[in-house]
Amino acid sequence: MTEAPIVTVRDLVKTFPVRGRPGEPKRTLRAVDRVGFDVLRGETLGLVGESGSGKSTTGRMLVGLISATSGTVELFGHHIAGGAEKGALNKVRSRLQFVFQDPQNSLNPRMRVGDAIAEPLDVAGGLSRQARNDRVQELLELVGLPRSCGDRFPHEFSGGQRQRIGIARALALRPDFIVCDEPVSSLDVSMQAQIVNLLLDLQEQLGLSYLFIAHDLAVVRNISTRVAVMYAGGIVEMAPKRDLYAAPKHPYTQALLAAVPRPVPGRARAPSVAGELPSLIDPPKGCAFHPRCPFAFDRCRIEKPRLNPVEGGHAVACHLHEAGGSGTSAL
Amino acid sequence: MTRVPLLSVENLTVQFRGDSGWVTAIEDVSFEIGAGENLGIVGESGSGKSVSALSILRLHGRANTRYASGAIRFGGRDLLSMSERELRKVRGGDIAMIFQDPMSSLNPVLTIAEQIIEPLQLHQGLSSAAARRRAIELLEMVRIADAGRRIDEYPHRLSGGMRQRVMIAIAIACQPKLLIADEPTTALDVTIQGQILELLRDLQREIGMSVVLITHDLGVIAEFAQRVLVMYAGRVIEQAPVAALFNRPMHPYTDGLIDAVPKLDGDLHRLTTIPGSIPDLATVIPGCRFNPRCREAMDVCRRNAPALLPVGPDHLSRCPPRAAARGAA
């Protein structure tokens, strides 16, 4: 049985105008370039990439925080982008939420945390004072904070606790789908593990689906069902978790995996991939990774590879892996 | 083993002025670093790792900082009792420093050339033409392609990785004996981080300098450091050669930190966590500062402040129960 995905994204594009000096022609920055994926109920899609890969822009388009230039986003059967459906976003708004990277900046410092958590409830309306306060206490408990701490202010909490408050707030309206944009990147290691485990527990308890955005592959490994790797605005590889880590196919995914510093002293380290992240205003022709790719050949410099399925839900955008390609493992 | 240390920090305690009196940021911190050695200092927020590093060059705001006790010996002199004028000759000369965020440590209104040439003229008295030639050479040393042209650009034209290379070029301009690197790769992308670590290691070999690397990332420590200090809540809680630290950690906090790092191989599922939160500086915790989060805490840990005890060759731990268990075994 195949269940319909709760999130369907097709050919999603976002460009931003770039203002040059007076007299120079107007240019555009292509932040997201024809991205497509599905998210199924109860699963986590990890979205990994470095600066400028388009991962956060993609996440923001999914919840309607920024509008798409073209392409479609379908949430719970409603087209919120690229469809003719009016007011679609309002129909699904309460079912999707966003958790931000920095709990320091996403909480109002002058608002008590109980009120911050209750804000979505207040906006939605329809709850008595008592029911609202009960729900706040329930949410605090759900994220592992004392029920009584709703009267305190954000600065009285540590970074990890503030991220718990951000999560409680996201859960207030009982969403089905949460975009987590680098939720542990600004936290200390010992706090990161606590938050990842909390998100896993909540997923189990509440049947949530996540899009989990991160900049390195180690962080998403525990939480993801499937992982998509982005580079310069496009998805270069997408696979079930086990396949991606055991047999990465795209040379960029391989480089990204090799780059993670591991807590194993004396380990022989593969040399870092050379070069810089590409410009999005004037991207390389063909495959965006070709100037840094040790396997690049003529075709890579001319033709942009498409994301093609290779086997069992594993897809890769690389000319080495198209029909007849030998793959990097054989080189 | 006789090691003549290049730098030794002895029983350093540093306090900052808080809203209600002085708070102790680091207490009784001692370590030394040999010539050509790589020392890693690892810890989470509030551990005191950056405070320790900044104290070496007395870079804390003077009005609100008290070096309550201790000494920092470098070349037979105590950096803590030097005059500001004498210390200025050391900063950027024999001891250089690079920081986490190269954008905020470079001056946005000066070109790269102006910023590299400054220390060369100040410390080495080079003429402006000679300084410019040397500056281009330095940019080439940090592997900046097309250095002759890049040198006249402003920092905003460079990527984050390039800016950190420029910072490194400025730092090594006067061939320092010691480079202090405070989270030098934390603000960079993963693939760029590796490039910068490789560069630091290569330069260290070329120049023969010692490096103190401060980081929160145990992966970076494992790949870069020879000897490691682990700090928690303002104290050194373990000190060991890198292999011993990872293979035989002798403090429950070190165990926890190593286990909390997300792994790329092995069993998937729940991450092991350290319960509780990192205490803030003003919180008074009797006994061992880690005891409220420690799974192995005993009565004695809640009563007595633990001493840093030897637990192996060049290996110290501030966990007396662990040290005793090892002694008995």
Side-chain angles (χ1 to χ4, degrees):
Chain A
M1 185 192 92
T2 49
E3 203 188 337
I6 60 170
V7 179
T8 309
V9 176
R10 293 290 175 268
D11 287 317
L12 195 62
V13 172
K14 181 70 191 179
T15 60
F16 295 101
V18 180
R19 210 186 308 184
R21 291 174 193 157
E24 279 183 6
K26 240 218 228 131
R27 295 179 298 176
T28 54
L29 181 154
R30 212 170 173 82
V32 174
D33 191 13
R34 287 193 304 171
V35 160
F37 55 81
D38 296 335
V39 181
L40 304 179
R41 184 173 301 280
E43 84 162 349
T44 301
L45 178 66
L47 195 59
V48 177
E50 298 182 280
S51 312
S53 62
K55 58 191 190 299
S56 288
T57 308
T58 301
R60 278 160 202 253
M61 283 191 279
L62 247 56
V63 295
L65 280 174
I66 51 180
S67 59
T69 305
S70 65
T72 59
V73 176
E74 195 183 333
L75 294 170
F76 315 107
H78 296 276
H79 278 279
I80 67 152
E85 200 179 332
K86 259 203 156 158
L89 186 55
N90 285 336
K91 285 184 195 148
V92 296
R93 194 156 248 160
S94 68
R95 299 177 67 183
L96 46 109
Q97 283 297 335
F98 201 90
V99 173
F100 293 88
Q101 169 170 352
D102 187 353
Q104 173 86 54
N105 292 334
S106 50
L107 289 171
N108 182 340
R110 301 177 64 171
M111 193 184 248
R112 292 180 197 277
V113 304
D115 292 332
I117 292 170
E119 209 176 14
L121 301 170
D122 297 341
V123 172
L127 280 184
S128 70
R129 191 87 202 152
Q130 184 62 45
R132 169 197 186 267
N133 293 346
D134 288 349
R135 177 71 179 143
V136 168
Q137 294 194 4
E138 193 182 301
L139 287 162
L140 285 167
E141 192 170 27
L142 195 61
V143 298
L145 290 171
R147 290 176 76 100
S148 58
C149 71
D151 287 337
R152 288 156 62 187
F153 288 95
H155 75 266
E156 297 174 64
F157 295 87
S158 69
Q161 288 171 329
R162 277 198 289 260
Q163 195 54 287
R164 288 175 192 268
I165 295 164
I167 293 169
R169 182 180 155 106
L171 293 173
L173 292 176
R174 305 178 199 278
D176 295 299
F177 174 58
I178 304 181
V179 174
C180 305
D181 189 3
E182 305 232 24
V184 300
S185 300
S186 64
L187 303 178
D188 279 302
V189 195
S190 70
M191 298 292 113
Q192 282 188 4
Q194 288 184 11
I195 297 297
V196 167
N197 285 354
L198 172 66
L199 288 169
L200 282 166
D201 288 339
L202 292 169
Q203 180 166 52
E204 230 163 69
Q205 257 172 292
L206 308 171
L208 299 168
S209 308
Y210 298 127
L211 181 76
F212 191 99
I213 300 169
H215 62 262
D216 91 52
L217 279 163
V219 172
V220 297
R221 183 166 175 264
N222 286 75
I223 199 162
S224 301
T225 321
R226 287 181 302 131
V227 177
V229 178
M230 290 187 76
Y231 188 79
I235 292 179
V236 297
E237 184 162 6
M238 181 154 57
K241 171 166 67 181
R242 263 171 215 286
D243 298 343
L244 190 99
Y245 289 89
K249 293 194 184 298
H250 198 285
Y252 176 65
T253 312
Q254 294 169 353
L256 204 55
L257 267 175
V260 178
R262 307 196 193 181
V264 182
R267 192 180 70 98
R269 189 178 203 283
S272 300
V273 59
E276 297 266 318
L277 296 162
S279 154
L280 299 174
I281 300 170
D282 186 18
K285 293 247 175 318
C287 172
F289 188 60
H290 88 253
R292 304 176 74 188
C293 182
F295 310 110
F297 56 104
D298 287 347
R299 192 176 166 200
C300 307
R301 298 180 189 101
I302 303 159
E303 187 189 333
K304 194 178 175 76
R306 298 201 59 125
L307 190 64
N308 283 321
V310 280
E311 64 204 12
H314 200 143
V316 59
C318 178
H319 293 312
L320 291 168
H321 292 281
E322 280 163 17
S326 54
T328 51
S329 49
L331 289 171
Chain B
M1 188 176 77
T2 52
R3 182 169 52 204
V4 180
L6 177 71
L7 175 98
S8 65
V9 173
E10 295 162 13
N11 310 104
L12 183 66
T13 297
V14 178
Q15 297 174 321
F16 295 130
R17 198 192 298 275
D19 293 337
S20 45
W22 293 91
V23 292
T24 302
I26 56 171
E27 191 170 331
D28 198 23
V29 168
S30 297
F31 61 88
E32 41 188 56
I33 174 161
E37 192 184 28
N38 270 341
L39 176 74
I41 305 183
V42 67
E44 299 183 285
S45 319
S47 63
K49 58 186 189 302
S50 285
V51 173
S52 305
L54 290 168
S55 298
I56 296 175
L57 289 173
R58 296 212 322 249
L59 292 174
H60 301 295
R62 256 180 290 176
N64 296 314
T65 311
R66 194 155 76 183
Y67 298 92
S69 71
I72 300 176
R73 298 193 196 285
F74 180 74
R77 304 215 290 164
D78 182 5
L79 298 178
L80 285 186
S81 54
M82 257 183 200
S83 72
E84 214 25 63
R85 250 187 82 163
E86 290 175 293
L87 193 61
R88 260 209 301 270
K89 289 186 198 146
V90 178
R91 292 187 190 133
D94 277 344
I95 305 181
M97 186 150 183
I98 56 174
F99 300 89
Q100 172 170 341
D101 182 358
M103 195 58 209
S104 43
S105 12
L106 288 169
N107 188 333
V109 300
L110 297 180
T111 62
I112 303 304
E114 290 168 290
Q115 304 188 54
I116 306 190
I117 287 171
E118 188 195 352
L120 291 170
Q121 293 186 315
L122 207 66
H123 289 282
Q124 302 193 327
L126 295 186
S127 72
S128 62
R132 188 182 164 87
R133 272 198 304 277
R134 174 80 179 129
I136 293 174
E137 223 174 271
L138 285 163
L139 291 182
E140 282 163 355
M141 273 180 84
V142 297
R143 330 272 191 262
I144 291 185
D146 205 3
R149 192 177 57 81
R150 277 331 223 338
I151 192 165
D152 292 315
E153 288 188 347
Y154 288 91
H156 76 270
R157 301 267 302 162
L158 304 179
S159 68
M162 281 296 164
R163 282 183 212 132
Q164 195 59 288
R165 286 172 195 268
V166 170
M167 284 307 300
I168 294 171
I170 295 172
I172 61 167
C174 300
Q175 309 238 333
K177 297 196 176 95
L178 175 66
L179 176 70
I180 303 168
D182 189 4
E183 304 260 13
T185 60
T186 305
L188 303 177
D189 278 304
V190 199
T191 58
I192 308 300
Q193 177 175 344
Q195 295 174 359
I196 295 294
L197 286 177
E198 279 164 29
L199 174 67
L200 280 177
R201 214 180 345 228
D202 291 349
L203 288 174
Q204 179 177 30
R205 230 167 296 155
E206 287 165 35
I207 301 173
M209 60 186 177
S210 308
V211 177
V212 176
L213 178 82
I214 291 107
T215 178
H216 67 281
D217 188 332
L218 278 169
V220 171
I221 286 285
E223 294 194 350
F224 194 82
Q226 293 163 337
R227 225 152 41 83
V228 188
L229 298 185
V230 183
M231 294 192 69
Y232 184 78
R235 282 170 184 74
V236 175
I237 56 106
E238 186 162 3
Q239 178 180 331
V242 68
L245 187 87
F246 285 92
N247 300 335
R248 268 175 293 109
M250 291 297 287
H251 194 287
Y253 177 64
T254 314
D255 295 353
L257 264 190
I258 294 173
D259 289 343
V261 178
K263 309 288 186 300
L264 283 172
D265 35 36
D267 192 30
L268 299 163
H269 209 49
R270 296 294 142 125
L271 289 162
T272 320
T273 64
I274 303 174
S277 300
I278 297 159
D280 71 55
L281 293 179
T283 315
V284 178
I285 301 168
C288 170
R289 297 209 134 195
F290 186 61
N291 88 70
R293 304 178 70 190
C294 183
R295 290 195 173 87
E296 300 168 24
M298 312 189 242
D299 277 347
V300 62
C301 306
R302 293 177 197 104
R303 271 199 320 268
N304 302 340
L308 200 57
L309 302 168
V311 289
D314 208 13
H315 195 157
L316 302 170
S317 161
R318 204 179 282 281
C319 181
R322 282 279 181 100
R326 187 182 160 81

